[in-house]
Amino acid sequence: MKKRRRRSTAQETALPVRHHARIAAARRGDVRVSASIGPGGEVIALWTAAADVRALTSSMTGPGGVAFPDPRAARPVTARVTVHSPAPTGVTTLHDFPLAYPAVQPLPDGRVLAVGARARRHPDGPDRNAIIYSADGAALAAETLGDGIGHVFTTGTGHVWVGYFDEGVYGNLGWDGTDGREPVGACGLARFSPDLKADWRFPSNDNPWGVIDDCYALNVDAETAWTCYYSGFPIVRVHDGALTGWHGDGTVTSALITDGSRIALYSAGRNRLTAGQLTGARMRSTGRYRVVLPNGRDLPGDALAIGRGPDLHILTSGNWYRLNLHDVP
């Protein structure tokens, strides 16, 4: 008699997201270059004409033939920033936009923060890869937030949280520390004031959970930041500069959502959501799920997952989906 296989306790249950809105360009023919979620749960996206996309996403070839993203746009372009809540609520046109691989975030008074992922350090000073624009598109200020930026989130007060990937932490593009000055992103996670001055840095060498080698996941909810980072993937909360942390189960995490006691860790690629409780000094896993579209199909390959507070936002080429922590059993 053929034995029946036992059902694995780690089996993943399909968990459908809810369709929230369509995300479309304000101008016919524009292509979306990047999109993110603002402090109020709104989508903010940067677009440009199809012919200009390559200028904002060009790369250079380094030693050994390795390709690296360009720190600056190949040429300035005209870009448009749209905000969706969920219907479109505003468009800001940015002329002569110079940043490559840009992320955008909303600021108070209708202003926009644009940040390029890379910044080269030159003998006469580093690239200024952060620009604040007015509501009518005028450049108001420019500063350097460092190289190797993986996450940028603003708060309702205009503060800016930045998470860095490994090249920003350990140095590249002139940030090699040979002159005794470490990279801006050496701490892995930093907060900047509304005028883009660093006002808090993660104490990588003075905490129980270890250094940030790569800030894989960042969630900023009001003035509190949550991160889950490589290599041990602990979960750390930053509130008023104080750290509270929990050891995780090693889940590779690209986004997280939390209400302060419950948490869910999202793993891109496999579209896996690991739910748990933050108890004592460790996260206790309570279930694993496979995030799917409302019709049960797999998420498309271009799906971008972003956590803000208890909400997981899934952005595809034209649609915005959401999943709240209350939707997770």
Side-chain angles (χ1 to χ4, degrees):
M1 181 177 177
K2 191 174 182 179
K3 291 184 178 180
R4 180 178 295 177
R5 295 180 62 185
R6 290 186 178 181
R7 185 176 181 179
S8 170
T9 57
Q11 185 171 353
E12 298 167 4
T13 302
L15 186 62
V17 294
R18 291 174 286 105
H19 187 266
H20 194 59
R22 288 274 302 166
I23 302 297
R27 178 173 174 171
R28 182 184 295 272
D30 272 2
V31 176
R32 197 176 81 200
V33 177
S34 68
S36 190
I37 303 296
E42 68 274 40
V43 164
I44 182 167
L46 184 139
W47 314 73
T48 194
D52 292 333
V53 171
R54 290 187 64 181
L56 299 185
T57 57
S58 60
S59 61
M60 58 183 177
T61 302
V66 178
F68 293 95
D70 273 327
R72 307 292 286 182
R75 55 179 172 79
V77 306
T78 296
R80 278 162 286 278
V81 175
T82 59
V83 178
H84 310 257
S85 298
T89 59
V91 181
T92 301
T93 300
L94 311 179
H95 296 288
D96 297 321
F97 185 75
L99 302 178
Y101 297 91
V104 286
Q105 281 283 286
L107 290 170
D109 303 320
R111 294 172 299 148
V112 173
L113 172 68
V115 179
R118 309 308 302 259
R120 180 180 292 279
R121 187 174 174 190
H122 307 275
D124 59 347
D127 293 329
R128 294 188 175 187
N129 61 330
I131 304 174
I132 294 176
Y133 291 93
S134 68
D136 60 5
L140 302 176
E143 288 292 347
T144 301
L145 299 191
D147 184 43
I149 292 175
H151 304 281
V152 180
F153 292 118
T154 56
T155 72
T157 60
H159 286 81
V160 183
W161 287 88
V162 179
Y164 299 86
F165 57 84
D166 53 357
E167 291 182 44
V169 173
Y170 293 105
N172 198 358
L173 300 182
W175 302 89
D176 55 11
T178 54
D179 59 357
R181 291 192 292 179
E182 65 180 12
V184 175
C187 56
L189 175 65
R191 185 185 65 196
F192 294 81
S193 66
D195 59 355
L196 303 183
K197 305 299 182 184
D199 65 5
W200 184 86
R201 291 167 60 83
F202 187 84
S204 275
N205 296 313
D206 185 22
N207 75 82
W209 305 283
V211 302
I212 297 178
D213 294 307
D214 192 318
C215 184
Y216 267 49
L218 180 63
N219 181 327
V220 176
D221 185 18
E223 300 297 324
T224 300
W226 296 76
T227 182
C228 185
Y229 57 85
Y230 184 82
S231 61
F233 293 101
I235 299 148
V236 178
R237 179 183 66 203
V238 185
H239 181 71
D240 288 339
L243 305 186
T244 307
W246 298 263
H247 295 289
D249 61 0
T251 297
V252 177
T253 302
S254 54
L256 66 88
I257 56 175
T258 182
D259 61 8
S261 58
R262 290 189 72 208
I263 194 166
L265 309 177
Y266 178 81
S267 301
R270 302 184 68 178
N271 301 327
R272 173 188 288 171
L273 195 70
T274 302
Q277 291 280 349
L278 299 175
T279 57
R282 181 170 294 277
M283 169 187 163
R284 179 175 61 85
S285 297
T286 57
R288 284 189 174 181
Y289 306 89
R290 182 171 54 87
V291 179
V292 297
L293 292 173
N295 60 9
R297 294 183 178 179
D298 289 340
L299 298 180
D302 66 351
L304 173 66
I306 301 169
R308 276 283 204 167
D311 292 302
L312 184 68
H313 303 261
I314 303 289
L315 304 178
T316 65
S317 58
N319 290 289
W320 175 10
Y321 302 92
R322 294 180 66 163
L323 182 74
N324 186 273
L325 195 57
H326 291 301
D327 301 323
V328 182

